[in-house]
Amino acid sequence: MRLWRYVSILCCVWALPAYAGGTFSFTLDNDLYFGTDREYSNGGLFSYTADIGQAPQFIRSFLANTFEPEAFQMRYSLGQLIYTPVDKQTTDAVPNERPYVGLLFGQVDAVYSKGPLVHRLSLVLGVFGPPAIGGEVQNFVHSIRDLPRAEGWDNQIRTEPALNLHYDVAAPLNVLGDEAFALTLEPYLGLSFGNVSTSARAGFVWRFGPDLEGQPAALSIRHGHEVPRLFKPKDSFRWHIHAGATGEVEAYSTVVEGNLFRSSLEAPDKTLQWEGRFGALASYGRYWLGFGVSAISRRHDFQERTFHRIGEIRFGISLF
């Protein structure tokens, strides 16, 4: 068991750079902000976004020779996602609900622009099951907040590697761009393939505020489909609000349907899904802080017939 944990952590951090010069950020989301503790329960994501000069040479050469990008940046992330059934007080297996799932993962995003379009290529490597330490993290947080333990983690899905590929393309549009305020619309399309999620999606993100250039994006831990942006610090107070929505057709997801290669508890997946998001972000100098609210549709047939609300807090620092 310990060996699996060490291997999973190494798989997650293999792409982190050895030096800093970009932007570090941390995102934490949880449904406890809205008084629930079920389904998608918690997520955390550490990210480092860098410009082209800090990308590995083989990646720079591949993108330059293959796509001839006009601008290019990288993002390296380490994250964890935790999913639980509604009934977490029983030690027995809970049928007809989402299984207990922990996912510990590393993610590398290569983002490049060419003409009016921005492209994102993404690789996710990680592990499902006990090595993802989902139960330990959740019950540690519960102990700090004096909440009941989740007693059913012995029934979580079995250990299995996580592998996913993502491709998204966005077409940023400057709807309003005077000197005082700017309004941008960023529609996007995307595909995912792997055992984390095999799906197709379409969505959009609105942003409104003064001086949007160089402000970070409103990224979702669960999807992360919005284009990562390299934060450019300024010695002034800046802010923006953002809103967006995503519609998705999903063929398979381990976090709902259980193990792909082994038997486990599962729930019948809802093929059509949606998510709406709203939030705000403020920065001063090298530092920024943001919050967001998400409303997520049902992910399986036995879920309550209502959307699930998630709160999100993000903060970051530029090391330029």
Side-chain angles (χ1 to χ4, degrees), residues 33 117 145 167 225 249 274 298:
Y33 301 137
L117 301 179
R145 301 193 59 174
Y167 170 71
H225 302 317
V249 179
W274 60 264
R298 296 169 66 210

Side-chain angles (χ1 to χ4, degrees), residues 188 204 220 222-223 226 242-247 273-279 292-297 307-310:
Y188 59 87
F204 64 88
S220 166
R222 296 169 305 286
H223 297 300
E226 299 91 338
H242 53 82
T246 300
Q273 303 163 17
W274 60 264
E275 178 176 344
R277 304 182 67 242
F278 172 81
V293 176
S294 298
I296 308 172
S297 69
F307 57 82
H308 190 193
R309 291 178 296 174
I310 302 291

Side-chain angles (χ1 to χ4, degrees), residues 149-170:
R149 286 178 52 86
E151 302 291 352
W153 274 100
D154 286 343
N155 303 300
Q156 68 181 299
I157 67 172
R158 301 181 182 184
T159 301
E160 191 167 276
L163 172 62
N164 237 79
L165 299 173
H166 303 285
Y167 170 71
D168 294 271
V169 57

Side-chain angles (χ1 to χ4, degrees), residues 27-93:
T27 305
L28 178 67
D29 61 9
N30 202 305
D31 62 347
L32 283 173
Y33 301 137
F34 293 98
T36 59
D37 189 22
R38 57 179 173 80
E39 303 292 343
Y40 174 73
S41 181
N42 183 69
L45 186 73
F46 290 94
S47 293
Y48 172 73
T49 304
D51 63 13
I52 186 171
Q54 295 185 35
Q57 179 60 44
F58 75 93
I59 294 180
R60 283 186 284 168
S61 299
F62 170 76
L63 288 176
N65 296 331
T66 306
F67 303 107
E68 299 179 351
E70 299 165 5
F72 170 59
Q73 65 187 55
M74 298 289 297
R75 184 181 65 180
Y76 309 85
S77 302
L78 174 64
Q80 183 190 48
L81 302 177
I82 296 174
Y83 299 83
T84 70
V86 176
D87 184 359
K88 295 186 296 301
Q89 302 311 304
T90 179
T91 58
D92 298 329

